[in-house]
Amino acid sequence: MAEAFDVIVIGGGPAGYPAAIRAGQNKLSVACIDQWRNPDGGYAFGGTCLNAGCIPSKALLESSELVHRAREEFALHGIKTGPVSVDLAQMQKRKSGIVKASTQGINALFKASGVTGLAGHGRLLPGRRVEFTGADGSKRELSAKHVILASGSVPVELKAAPFKAPHILDSWGALELDAVPKRLGVIGAGVIGLELGSVWRRLGSEVTVLEALPEFLAIADQQLAKEAARHFKKQGLDIRLGARVSAAKVSGDVVEVTYEDAKGTQSLTVDRLIVAAGRRAFTAELLAAGTGVELDERGCIKVDEHCRTGAEGVWAVGDCVRGPMLAHKSKEEGVMVADLIAGRYGEVNYKTIPSVIYTAPEIAWVGLTEEQVKASGRPYKVGVFPFLASGRARAMEQAQGFAKLIAAQDDDEILGVHIIGPMAGELIAEAVLAMEYCASSEDLQRTIHAHPTLSEAVHEAALAADKRAIDSINR
Ligand code: FAD
Ligand code: NAD
């Protein structure tokens, strides 16, 4: 007889493991299956985010930013050091330690909430049954009242530039380099291209980023994108827009890249090439015939706004469904579904999902861009506060960028907040909360912010929307 659970989750990344934990908290019997294997052959929960995405990239961003600051800023603070050099092996060891601690933490969380973690492959069969293949290849059948699919995503492989380690790398490979490449090419000036391009630039690579679109950071507010482009240029990132890669070939120990831009066919020689041209939903070997679960034209699992698939009792969450491919969006969907299954309230507010790019300066936003508000035709007002006017940012030697708030002219509703500057990813949380509670810009204006903190920038941006900023000139 099939082993039975209330809930089986296939995939233990940021969508799947929180779903399993919340199901456990809801007193449901739950199993979470994950097939992720690290290069040492060991299984690990945590998915892309913990093993090969958010966490290792942030560890390297932090280390490389410290190298940059030690070289460029310590002297300003009156701190004398000898020449600063990089021990990449130690940097990578630190990163791996953080990844291991994070993924092992999930085992402890599973234990605490009564989740059965199963290392191996899961395949949905018709009738909410799951075929589980363990590490030793043995198969057994499980059944559940509800199955949550959380199989995540994988990097898009370009026909023009197929992955070929150690020269042509995906984002995971780009996090594992054991030497700093002299010349590094990056395909795609998206989030991964900018974050990983920044890491290796700070560690000494000459970095060229080739972006097919003519506009830089087309998804972001364009005032913010322009400010970002200026900083990246100053940092030495050579970002070439309107540059579509048509071929990349390994030749000896280098990669010859061909791309098309407005001037015609161009070429570039690099030592390593990172392909960061997007990710796609991963559903290989996930669905047996006859499950009733459908995919859309982009290969994502089709779901409604509550993440129900077309099959009774089967749900899908995270990167394998529509919407932004973000860990926090994945987590909220997983938790929502586990609560709905338990008969509790569950909802994801897709309008207030924050985006953060962990470069220096950091970039973060929530809600609509000024371009989107303009296109909507709704009259609006804008407040901008430069970090140059923030005492805390100046004291930190980080007085770059600005906080920008867009509010409706009629009822003062906050429509969007866009921040480029120190700790933007932390500061945006206040704007998310404000928008979640439908706050007006006046609500933010009347909220006391501690001095001197970076959060005063958000306060002052709200004041500036009504030309009432105190610490900067109202324009
Ligand atoms: P995944 O994390 O991909 O997890 C899916 C899991 O399912 C995997 O462990 C996989 O092994 C398992 N699986 C799949 N099929 C099966 C099967 N049939 N049987 C068993 N197991 C299966 N997002 C952010 O919000 N912030 C960031 O800073 C950030 N940085 C990133 C940096 C990089 C370099 C990358 C690549 C991504 C980053 N992301 C970031 C995106 C983030 O990693 C994803 O949005 C997130 O991991 C999606 O979670 P998920 O659980 O849906 O999928
Ligand atoms: P992306 O969609 O952000 O950027 C890919 C870029 O590659 C696009 O700008 C696209 O125009 C360009 N491109 C595609 N084909 C090209 C070609 N042939 N030549 C030149 N340029 C080309 O994707 P990504 O950077 O790979 O990231 C994947 C996902 O991971 C994103 O959805 C992102 O949300 C997520 N992620 C998030 C974070 C974060 O939240 N900080 C960090 C990393 C990744």
Side-chain angles (χ1 to χ4, degrees):
M1 229 186 66
E3 210 175 322
F5 293 88
D6 291 325
V7 181
I8 295 175
V9 186
I10 303 182
Y17 86 76
I21 289 173
R22 177 53 59 88
Q25 290 169 347
N26 286 338
K27 310 282 180 236
L28 299 169
S29 64
V30 52
C32 182
I33 304 173
D34 200 300
Q35 64 187 14
W36 188 282
R37 291 183 95 143
N38 280 315
D40 63 5
Y43 283 89
F45 286 99
T48 306
C49 175
L50 271 67
N51 290 288
C54 324
I55 300 305
S57 62
K58 268 76 243 177
L60 290 183
L61 277 157
E62 191 66 29
S63 298
S64 60
E65 177 62 7
L66 286 179
V67 171
H68 169 79
R69 297 194 72 183
R71 284 189 179 140
E72 305 293 328
E73 286 175 23
F74 276 18
L76 277 171
H77 285 273
I79 303 169
K80 286 188 179 172
T81 60
V84 175
S85 60
V86 171
D87 178 351
L88 185 59
Q90 168 56 25
M91 208 177 268
Q92 292 287 26
K93 192 172 150 200
R94 187 190 88 96
K95 177 206 74 185
S96 303
I98 292 163
V99 167
K100 200 164 183 186
S102 308
T103 58
Q104 283 179 349
I106 296 179
N107 296 326
L109 294 172
F110 275 3
K111 206 170 163 200
S113 47
V115 177
T116 304
L118 296 173
H121 178 74
R123 193 164 73 112
L124 181 70
L125 308 174
R128 296 190 301 272
R129 289 171 304 124
V130 172
E131 177 191 78
F132 171 68
T133 309
D136 58 0
S138 64
K139 291 187 192 298
R140 63 184 211 259
E141 202 176 291
L142 316 174
S143 71
K145 293 178 190 148
H146 295 267
V147 177
I148 305 175
L149 305 172
S151 55
S153 64
V154 287
V156 166
E157 183 162 25
L158 296 178
K159 270 203 191 96
F163 299 126
K164 197 170 180 201
H167 293 92
I168 304 181
L169 302 166
D170 65 10
S171 53
W172 195 4
L175 288 164
E176 300 297 326
L177 288 171
D178 57 10
V180 178
K182 184 167 177 328
R183 296 162 301 179
L184 177 69
V186 181
I187 304 183
V191 195
I192 294 182
L194 293 174
E195 289 186 357
L196 296 188
S198 294
V199 165
W200 296 108
R201 173 70 199 129
R202 291 167 191 165
L203 296 180
S205 294
E206 292 161 21
V207 178
T208 308
V209 185
L210 302 172
E211 168 56 52
L213 295 177
E215 215 170 47
F216 179 61
L217 269 183
I219 51 164
D221 183 278
Q222 284 305 291
Q223 187 179 357
L224 189 130
K226 279 197 186 77
E227 176 79 5
R230 204 170 60 77
H231 287 287
F232 295 144
K233 190 169 177 198
K234 219 165 117 195
Q235 290 163 15
L237 279 178
D238 178 358
I239 300 173
R240 302 185 189 173
L241 299 176
R244 179 170 291 279
V245 173
S246 50
K249 286 199 177 60
V250 178
S251 164
D253 202 24
V254 301
V255 187
E256 304 287 359
V257 184
T258 310
Y259 63 94
E260 315 295 323
D261 67 11
K263 292 190 196 124
T265 302
Q266 313 285 344
S267 58
L268 175 76
T269 304
V270 292
D271 301 297
R272 294 290 180 268
L273 179 68
I274 301 173
V275 182
R279 295 178 65 82
R280 62 174 175 82
F282 177 69
T283 55
E285 308 294 327
L286 178 69
L287 306 168
T291 61
V293 175
E294 288 178 54
L295 304 185
D296 67 16
E297 60 291 345
R298 293 176 56 240
C300 298
I301 298 174
K302 267 194 197 171
V303 288
D304 68 9
E305 72 278 17
H306 287 112
C307 295
R308 286 187 185 88
T309 70
E312 181 71 30
V314 181
W315 312 68
V317 293
D319 277 11
C320 65
V321 304
R322 81 286 175 268
M325 290 184 166
L326 295 171
H328 41 284
K329 174 262 193 187
S330 303
K331 178 183 183 183
E332 291 312 314
E333 287 183 339
V335 166
M336 168 183 73
V337 166
D339 279 341
L340 290 173
I341 287 172
R344 290 169 177 256
Y345 174 79
E347 195 76 47
V348 173
N349 183 356
Y350 289 95
K351 287 188 182 155
T352 55
I353 298 175
S355 295
V356 182
I357 308 179
Y358 296 83
T359 45
E362 241 169 54
I363 297 168
W365 70 89
V366 59
L368 301 176
T369 63
E370 186 169 351
E371 293 72 28
Q372 288 168 330
V373 176
K374 199 179 272 174
S376 76
R378 188 168 179 190
Y380 66 94
K381 53 192 177 178
V382 175
V384 176
F385 180 80
F387 280 103
L388 197 59
S390 154
R392 185 67 189 274
R394 285 199 305 272
M396 292 167 71
E397 206 57 56
Q398 307 246 336
Q400 304 168 334
F402 55 79
K404 170 176 178 177
L405 179 139
I406 308 166
Q409 196 69 261
D410 45 18
D411 64 359
D412 201 30
E413 178 191 358
I414 300 170
L415 301 174
V417 176
H418 307 268
I419 307 174
I420 175 166
M423 309 299 278
E426 304 295 330
L427 297 179
I428 203 69
E430 178 183 9
V432 175
L433 188 71
M435 289 178 68
E436 184 65 35
Y437 283 85
C438 302
S440 62
S441 87
E442 188 182 346
D443 289 324
L444 268 189
Q445 292 172 23
R446 293 189 182 279
T447 302
I448 299 173
H449 290 69
H451 177 77
T453 60
L454 297 171
S455 71
E456 287 171 294
V458 178
H459 186 212
E460 287 280 331
L463 288 163
D466 284 331
K467 305 211 180 308
R468 292 167 72 82
I470 300 295
D471 283 324
S472 72
I473 297 162
N474 291 290
R475 294 176 205 281

